[in-house]
């Protein structure tokens, strides 16, 4: 019996976002909000209070017209692995309302367990976590579109991107019903990945050489956000522009980016 | 036994000890914590059977295939259909917003009749029978007075069965005033006719293009079929193709391109002709194609025996790199390099039509871009621009007009399109405000379906006043938009998720694509398909009008006019046509650089922004963003939520101003200013940005709704309140790329 | 906290030291006059009373009792429909579990009465004829934060329905549904015994019950922080 329950090797779900393809259109944001029952209020222009799991940051090279350049950067939860699963946010939670699953590499967030101390928000270097200052309210009749696969969050708790974990649960259900234990790459895709009109987001198991993300993250264009903090994030970005890769971390003026180094090695 | 203090204490202590030996405290604590985790006011979405229904998104002209996820009978999520020829699984944020539109608070829930003053927002819910009979009564009265031509109709498009039902109704009723808002599709149509002699629209074979040169087209901001364009762009990147964007502002299309050519605003056509100059001069053009398929490259003699200059002369004489550099503000070397790279690419393609394509632009510019494509042989070949002839897929029984109708139809159109002055134009609705005030005759009744002119047409402040003077305004809107809010009657249509309707071919796709929008859910409110309502109005009018509408309802009408297509469309959702072969139907039977009949030719026609430079030292231009739906459909609450705080902050829109200009004007980031133009004035805030050149103010289209609900309305300023149309002298269509403006600190 | 305890404290507090009579029916005598021997009995009475309240009265107050809208006979259905539980509680193609059947499933057989029972006639008249879904009370209903996969347990884990649901399939009458007045959930979740003590796996359905079995069977014990089951296995 025990033998049968053993997982077929741990997964490490991760994402690669191609910033050359990303147009900053915001479809990933709305796909996420629609899939994950995000609330909305009349004024959402204060982004510190706006409940969004995935946000788009605008980067600019800071040069004057016409040498200026901009690039959008979608930022879901990075699902940091840290060192052996000790992500910044998970390590500080006093309620064990968030944990790191070594079988999937996903950082959970259990709303009913969270009591809203917001320590995790302070610990997260990516601002990936948001606090619900208000109870969610849907205008009469609008609650009809809510997704039963995702819990509706109440006031006073912290929430964040779950890599659409419920889609993995759904995919597993289907696989189990068909007598399979393994799920295919295309069976578990996050809502943002699925929606992206530019096809800029790739999602899959970073441990699995057959998955697209496995190769993509080794691209010379790849970099991660604030990599040197040791957060070991599972979201990778691709950009052919050096200034964008530099914007991903705090580099000294004469320092090459990780990707730059890769490229040098690549050419050498 | 007497109960004393000590005994009480003992009893109490005993009680406490006993209670601790019961599960009560622990159970109660557990229950209370569960209660706090499940507040009764937090909704719990009910579970149910999950199903997926395919249909088409008609929120924008892109027409993506959608797969609607339902739980029980609730619409929960909209996803792009995998393998669909338009979007292959991708979907934009407007398409994703479907469920918010379906269940949103701005839906009109039953027919409404105005009871207060116009625009006051006081309504009486009426029955459909009363609504239909009131429209028919009004129309009947005007027809009895022999004034049927004073009834107008404003639609988003003229293709498709509902638009044609409206046109049919007005034809047999006796009015030529079916109007549609023109866009770049109109200019492309004209350019195609002038160069190919074909009535139809262009298709762009982007999957096979190796070099995309865009003259200001916001190919990543809603131009053409948005998701199709996104996918095409990603495809180009994956195949290491080059993309060059020619545009004064660093739009996202410019930022994503390999090269951004920051031209002076409004000079894109000059660059196109400048590139032609280099290509011709350096003999880089596709001689085989030009010799075999083109007319008017060299000088020619027309039918009257007059000598006409050829395109070669035209570009060689006027658009030297030096001249072009001066007009466009680019470097000569960059122009020459671009021309060489473009001509040497294996399958280059040039596109035009600024922003998301809502402003038609000048015919000269479109013909210049067509000429550029022809020079490199990218006309009618894979990876180039294709001509898709207009194929009428609906078969209507010929309507019979009675005497009143025939007389009414002989009246000049109110917008003068197709008349002596602008013979090429089919619609000139951009000038509606001026036409309503000073047209040939007053409009006494206007039917608006699928459009929101009060918000969406340039000069909306003036238009609002002009529309208020129309005695009877009927809106068929599903939402309480700005036009519906002003109407006398609102006859709410089902939204696309509740509707069966044909979806005419999409602009820009390389193949004709006919689709069918199928209902994914039962109507949520007491709404009615506009197609049904038109038939009912016609029947109520009686006589010859009723005779032209023999169908009991819209569905049977659609089945009849779609004929054999219906069954296949109903099964598969779409029908793909073939890529037509290269052919030209001009007088010469060739691609005409300069049209032999109309003499329309590639040209740089400077469009001067309206306004006095002394009063208005700056120039205001609008920009498009996918996060703001600029057209007849408003944003969803989710879309508003996605808007950056450098675009919208609280209720204020931020306009982009170059820091250099801001410094001259003494303006800092976030300053509240009055933005004034000859068309209007509004309070905005300043956002310092290097994306715009000095002297320019850039403002997003799509904000400033005044109707709808508080999640959508009351945010920022409507760009259309500040702009006014400027006609292209040849086509008569609006070609305004900007307007003079001033910023004053408040 | 116990209500009895509260009451007793209130009384003690309100009782003034100067022995002013506050309790009209039985004015307490001065403290000094109180016989010392009454303390132990009072203590014992306190214990006994609170034990009765905690073990007997409290459960009675905590749960409201509701009759199922239809007195459903599982035994006869298992017999007649066949295919064990799966005759009515089946897996859908996408791997989800149908749970309590909807009316259309009942109508497959009960469009017309097939028996002679009063209960069936009532059911047909009230629900089938009007097309109204039966508002069943669900004994095993879990809070919205819970994701429970029947497929994982039945299809992959090869567990018996009875392991969690007991012998409900053999019942001839619908049990009274007891709803926790505070949480709104069924008594079956906590278990019938107010102490939470259970002898069989089907007697309670709390998180601890899931966790216990998962730990025993080594299912997904991959949480780095708890060294036990990861949160995102059963939660959503």
């Amino acid at each position: 019996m025990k033998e049968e329950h053993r997982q077929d090797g741990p997964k490490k779900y991760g994402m690669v976002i191609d910033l050359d393809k990303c147009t900053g259109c915001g479809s990933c944001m709305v796909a996420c909000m629609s899939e994950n029952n995000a609330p909305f209020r009349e004024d959402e222009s204060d982004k510190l209070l706006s409940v969004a799991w995935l946000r788009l940051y605008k980067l600019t090279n800071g040069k004057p017209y016409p040498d200026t350049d901009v690039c959008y950067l979608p930022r879901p939860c990075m699902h940091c692995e840290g060192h052996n699963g000790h992500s910044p946010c998970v390590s500080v939670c006093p309620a064990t309302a968030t944990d790191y699953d070594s079988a999937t590499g996903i950082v959970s967030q259990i709303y009913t367990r969270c009591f809203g101390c917001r320590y995790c928000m302070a610990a997260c270097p990516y601002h990936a976590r948001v606090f619900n200052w208000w109870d969610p309210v849907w205008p009469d009749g609008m609650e009809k579109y809510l997704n039963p696969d995702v819990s509706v969050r109440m006031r006073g708790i912290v929430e964040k991107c779950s890599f659409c974990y419920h889609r993995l649960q759904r995919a597993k259900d289907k696989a189990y019903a068909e007598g399979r234990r393994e799920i295919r790459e295309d069976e578990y895709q996050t809502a943002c990945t699925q929606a992206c009109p530019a096809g800029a987001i790739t999602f899959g198991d970073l441990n699995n050489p057959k998955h697209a993300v496995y190769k993509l993250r080794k691209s010379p264009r790849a970099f991660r956000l604030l990599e040197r903090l040791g957060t070991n994030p599972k979201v990778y970005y691709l950009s052919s522009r050096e200034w964008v890769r530099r914007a991903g971390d705090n580099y000294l003026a004469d320092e090459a980016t990780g990707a730059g180094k890769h490229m040098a090695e690549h050419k050498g | 036994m007497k109960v004393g203090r000590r005994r009480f204490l003992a009893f109490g202590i005993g009680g406490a000890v006993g209670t601790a030996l019961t599960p009560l405290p622990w159970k109660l604590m557990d229950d209370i914590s569960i209660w706090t985790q499940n507040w009764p006011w937090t909704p719990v979405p009910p579970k149910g059977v999950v199903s997926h229904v395919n249909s088409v998104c008609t929120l924008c002209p892109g027409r993506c295939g959608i797969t609607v996820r339902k739980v029980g009978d609730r619409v929960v999520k909209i996803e792009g259909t995998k393998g669909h020829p338009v979007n292959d699984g991708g979907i934009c944020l407007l398409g994703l917003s479907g469920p918010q539109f379906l269940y949103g608070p701005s839906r009109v829930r039953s027919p409404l009749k105005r009871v207060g003053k116009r625009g006051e927002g006081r309504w009486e819910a009426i029955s459909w029978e009363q609504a239909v009979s009131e429209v028919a009564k009004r129309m009947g009265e005007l027809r009895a007075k022999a004034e049927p031509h004073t009834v107008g109709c404003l639609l988003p498009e003229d293709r498709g069965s509902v638009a044609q039902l409206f046109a049919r109704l007005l034809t047999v009723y006796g009015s030529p005033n079916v109007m549609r808002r023109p866009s770049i599709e109109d200019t492309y149509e004209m350019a195609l006719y002038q160069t190919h002699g074909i009535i139809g629209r262009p298709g762009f074979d982007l999957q096979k293009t190796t070099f995309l040169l865009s003259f200001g087209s916001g190919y990543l901001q809603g131009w053409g079929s948005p998701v199709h364009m996104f996918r095409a762009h990603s495809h180009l990147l994956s195949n290491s193709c080059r993309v060059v964007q020619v545009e004064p502002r660093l739009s996202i299309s410019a930022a994503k391109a390999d090269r951004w050519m920051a031209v002076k605003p409004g000079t894109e056509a000059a660059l196109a002709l400048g590139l032609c100059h280099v290509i011709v001069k350096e003999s880089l053009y596709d001689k085989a194609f030009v010799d075999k398929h083109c007319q008017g490259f060299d000088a020619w003699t027309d039918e009257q025996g007059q000598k006409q200059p050829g395109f070669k002369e035209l570009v060689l004489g006027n658009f030297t790199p030096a001249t072009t550099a001066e007009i466009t503000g680019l470097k000569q070397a960059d122009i020459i390099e671009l021309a060489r790279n473009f001509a040497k690419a294996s399958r280059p393609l040039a596109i035009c039509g600024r922003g998301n394509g809502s402003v038609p632009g000048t015919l000269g510019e479109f013909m210049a871009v067509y000429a550029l494509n022809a020079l490199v042989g990218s006309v009618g070949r894979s990876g180039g621009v294709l001509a898709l002839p207009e194929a009428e897929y609906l078969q209507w029984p010929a309507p019979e007009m009675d005497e009143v109708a025939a007389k009414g139809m002989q009246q000049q159109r109110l917008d003068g399109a197709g008349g002596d002055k602008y013979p090429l134009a089919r619609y000139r609705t951009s000038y509606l405000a001026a036409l309503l005030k000073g047209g040939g005759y007053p409009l006494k009744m206007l039917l608006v379906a699928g459009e929101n002119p009060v918000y969406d047409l340039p000069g909306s402040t003036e238009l609002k006043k002009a529309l208020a003077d129309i005695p009877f305004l009927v809106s068929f809107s599903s939402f309480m938009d700005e036009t519906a809010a002003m109407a006398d009657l609102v006859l709410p249509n089902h939204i696309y998720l509740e509707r069966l309707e044909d979806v005419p071919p999409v602009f820009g796709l390389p193949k004709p694509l006919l689709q069918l929008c199928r209902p994914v859910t039962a109507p949520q409110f007491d709404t009615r398909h506009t197609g049904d309502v038109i038939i009912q109005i016609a029947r109520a009018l009686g006589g010859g009008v009723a005779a032209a509408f023999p169908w009991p309802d819209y569905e049977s009408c659609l089945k009849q006019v779609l004929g054999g297509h219906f069954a296949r469309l109903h099964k598969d959702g779409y029908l793909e046509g073939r890529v037509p072969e290269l052919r030209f139907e001009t007088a010469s039977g060739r691609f005409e650089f300069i049209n032999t009949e109309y003499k329309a030719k590639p040209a740089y026609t400077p469009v001067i922004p309206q306004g006095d430079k002394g009063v208005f030292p700056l120039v205001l231009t609008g920009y498009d963003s996918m996060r703001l739906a600029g057209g007849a459909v408003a944003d969803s609450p989710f879309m508003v939520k996605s808007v950056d705080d450098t675009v919208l902050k609280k209720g204020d829109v931020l306009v982009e101003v170059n820091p250099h200009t801001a410094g001259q004007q003494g303006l800092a980031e976030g300053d509240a200013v009055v933005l004034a133009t000859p068309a209007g004035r509004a309070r905005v805030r300043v956002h310092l940005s290097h994306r715009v050149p000095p002297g320019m103010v850039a403002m997003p289209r799509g904000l400033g709704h005044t109707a709808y609900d508080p999640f959508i309305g009351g945010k920022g300023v409507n760009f259309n309140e500040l702009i006014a149309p400027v006609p292209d002298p040849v086509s008569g269509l609006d070609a305004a790329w900007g307007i003079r403006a001033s910023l004053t600190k408040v | 906290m116990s209500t009895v305890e509260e009451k007793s404290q209130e009384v003690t507090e309100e009782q003034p030291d100067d022995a002013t009579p506050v309790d009209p029916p039985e004015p307490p005598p001065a403290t000094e006059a109180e016989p010392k021997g009454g303390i132990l009995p009072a203590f014992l009475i306190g214990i006994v009373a609170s034990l009765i309240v905690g073990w007997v009265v409290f459960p009675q107050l905590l749960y409201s009792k509701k009759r199922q809208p239809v007195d459903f006979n599982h035994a006869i259905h298992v017999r007649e429909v066949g295919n064990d539980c799966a005759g009515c509680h089946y897996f859908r193609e996408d791997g989800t579990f149908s749970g309590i059947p909807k009316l259309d499933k009942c109508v497959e057989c009960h469009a017309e009465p097939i028996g002679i029972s009063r209960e069936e006639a009532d059911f047909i008249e009230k629900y089938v004829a009007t097309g109204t879904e039966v508002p069943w009370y669900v004994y095993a209903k879990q809070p919205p934060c819970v994701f429970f996969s029947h497929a994982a347990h039945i299809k992959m884990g090869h567990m018996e329905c009875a392991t969690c649901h007991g012998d409900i399939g053999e019942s001839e009458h619908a049990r009274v549904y007891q709803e926790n007045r505070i949480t709104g959930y069924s008594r079956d979740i906590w278990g019938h015994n107010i102490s939470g003590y259970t002898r069989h796996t089907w007697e309670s359905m709390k998180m601890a019950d899931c966790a216990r079995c998962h730990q025993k069977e080594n299912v997904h014990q991959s949480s780095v922080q708890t060294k036990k089951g990861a949160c995102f296995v059963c939660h959503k």
Side-chain angles (χ1 to χ4, degrees), chain A residues 17-26 28-29 55-60 69-75 200 223 237-239 243-244, chain B residues 249-253 255-256 623-627 642-644 646-647 656 687 691:
Chain A
I17 305 177
D18 190 337
L19 299 183
D20 290 335
K21 288 181 181 170
C22 170
T23 69
C25 71
C28 50
M29 273 182 95
R55 270 194 66 189
L56 275 161
Y57 292 109
K58 187 168 69 183
L59 311 177
T60 162
D69 198 3
V70 295
C71 182
Y72 284 91
L73 182 139
R75 189 242 54 218
F223 70 99
Y237 293 91
L238 304 177
S239 178
W243 74 264
V244 174
Chain B
R249 175 181 172 271
L250 180 79
S251 69
I252 195 66
S253 305
K256 287 291 134 187
Y623 70 87
D624 301 300
S625 151
M626 288 295 288
R627 297 192 220 175
S642 78
V643 175
D644 277 345
T646 52
V647 174
E656 290 176 351
H687 172 52
R691 296 173 79 166

Side-chain angles (χ1 to χ4, degrees), chain B residues 401-462:
Chain B
M401 283 188 276
D402 62 12
E403 208 178 307
V404 186
K407 228 173 147 189
M409 285 302 284
Q410 279 164 13
Q411 292 277 345
Q412 176 77 253
R413 278 177 64 93
L414 190 71
D415 64 3
D420 301 336
K421 201 168 171 199
Y422 300 114
L424 299 177
R426 288 168 60 210
Y427 303 98
R428 294 186 65 249
T429 317
S430 315
Y431 310 93
L432 195 60
L435 295 166
L436 287 172
K437 277 189 187 157
Y441 46 85
L443 211 55
K444 295 193 175 161
M445 181 169 177
L446 182 65
L447 311 173
V448 181
E451 257 297 358
N452 184 9
V454 174
Y455 177 82
D456 197 28
L457 288 180
S460 60
T461 317
E462 285 302 305

Side-chain angles (χ1 to χ4, degrees), chain B residues 38 72 128 147 149 283 390 449 452 455 486 499 534 649 693:
Chain B
N38 298 281
W128 274 103
E147 290 179 335
H149 60 283
S283 282
E390 186 73 55
N452 184 9
Y455 177 82
M486 277 183 67
R499 215 156 70 197
I534 303 165
K649 190 76 190 162

Side-chain angles (χ1 to χ4, degrees), chain A residues 9-84:
Chain A
K11 311 270 186 294
K12 200 158 103 177
Y13 288 106
M15 199 176 260
V16 180
I17 305 177
D18 190 337
L19 299 183
D20 290 335
K21 288 181 181 170
C22 170
T23 69
C25 71
S27 300
C28 50
M29 273 182 95
V30 174
C32 174
M33 292 189 239
S34 178
E35 179 78 21
N36 292 302
N37 298 334
F40 56 88
R41 301 173 64 252
E42 282 180 25
D43 177 30
E44 290 278 2
S45 65
D46 187 340
K47 300 301 175 191
L48 287 176
L49 305 178
S50 182
V51 177
W53 291 1
L54 194 158
R55 270 194 66 189
L56 275 161
Y57 292 109
K58 187 168 69 183
L59 311 177
T60 162
N61 68 352
K63 290 187 181 169
Y65 187 93
D67 298 318
T68 187
D69 198 3
V70 295
C71 182
Y72 284 91
L73 182 139
R75 189 242 54 218
C77 169
M78 301 284 136
H79 293 272
C80 305
E81 190 179 2
H83 297 290
N84 306 319

Side-chain angles (χ1 to χ4, degrees), chain C:
Chain C
M1 248 201 265
S2 140
T3 36
V4 176
E5 199 181 359
E6 275 169 18
K7 216 177 264 172
S8 66
Q9 275 180 356
E10 271 169 35
V11 176
T12 13
E13 274 162 22
E14 277 176 23
Q15 201 169 347
D17 279 331
D18 59 357
T20 317
V22 275
D23 204 357
E26 230 179 312
T31 327
E32 302 85 58
E34 198 183 333
K36 282 185 178 176
I39 292 174
L40 190 64
F43 178 73
L44 291 175
I45 291 168
I47 287 186
V48 172
S50 58
L51 286 175
I52 293 169
V53 167
W55 288 95
V56 183
V57 181
F58 170 62
Q60 295 293 322
L61 292 174
L62 185 62
Y63 295 105
S64 65
K65 293 186 175 60
K66 290 174 176 171
R67 271 199 181 284
Q68 290 286 7
V70 178
D71 184 17
F72 187 82
N73 184 335
H74 263 101
I76 199 168
H77 282 86
V78 172
R79 217 163 42 235
E80 297 296 324
V81 178
N83 202 8
D84 279 343
C85 309
C88 297
H89 311 284
Y90 52 90
F91 283 95
R92 303 191 192 103
E93 246 178 54
D94 62 359
T96 56
F97 188 65
S98 62
I100 308 255
K102 293 279 176 197
L103 188 67
D104 51 8
K105 184 77 195 161
C106 309
V107 174
E108 282 177 17
C109 302
H110 291 279
E112 300 292 331
I114 49 178
I116 47 158
S117 79
R118 179 77 225 143
E119 199 61 30
E120 191 205 2
D122 283 351
F123 162 72
I124 288 176
E125 186 191 334
K126 202 167 169 193
Y127 300 105
V128 179
T130 59
T132 318
E133 287 294 339
V134 185
W136 299 108
Y137 296 110
V138 186
Y139 300 114
K141 189 179 143 194
Q142 292 285 334
C145 61
V146 176
F147 169 82
F148 181 82
S149 164
H150 274 92
H153 292 85
I154 306 293
K155 297 277 185 179
M156 266 301 140
H158 304 295
M159 285 170 70
E160 296 297 325
C161 304
T163 310
C164 301
H165 294 285
D167 58 359
I168 191 158
E170 291 160 29
S171 66
E172 296 195 337
H173 293 280
R175 261 190 304 129
V176 170
Y177 173 85
Q178 298 195 41
E179 188 181 278
N180 188 313
R181 291 181 202 271
I182 299 170
T183 65
Y185 290 98
S186 160
R187 185 167 185 170
D188 293 34
I189 304 300
W190 174 265
H192 197 80
N193 190 324
I194 197 74
S195 73
Y197 170 75
T198 54
R199 277 195 298 174
H200 302 288
T201 46
W202 57 82
E203 285 176 355
S204 64
M205 291 182 156
K206 291 279 289 180
M207 176 170 147
D209 300 305
C210 305
R212 195 180 308 121
C213 191
H214 279 188
Q215 216 167 340
K216 199 175 113 215
E217 300 290 341
N218 191 25
V219 180
H220 224 112
Q221 299 295 300
S222 51
S223 169
V224 171
Q225 278 63 40
T226 62
K227 311 273 183 264
K228 291 188 218 160
C231 306
F232 266 178
V233 175
C234 316
H235 280 287
K236 62 177 185 184

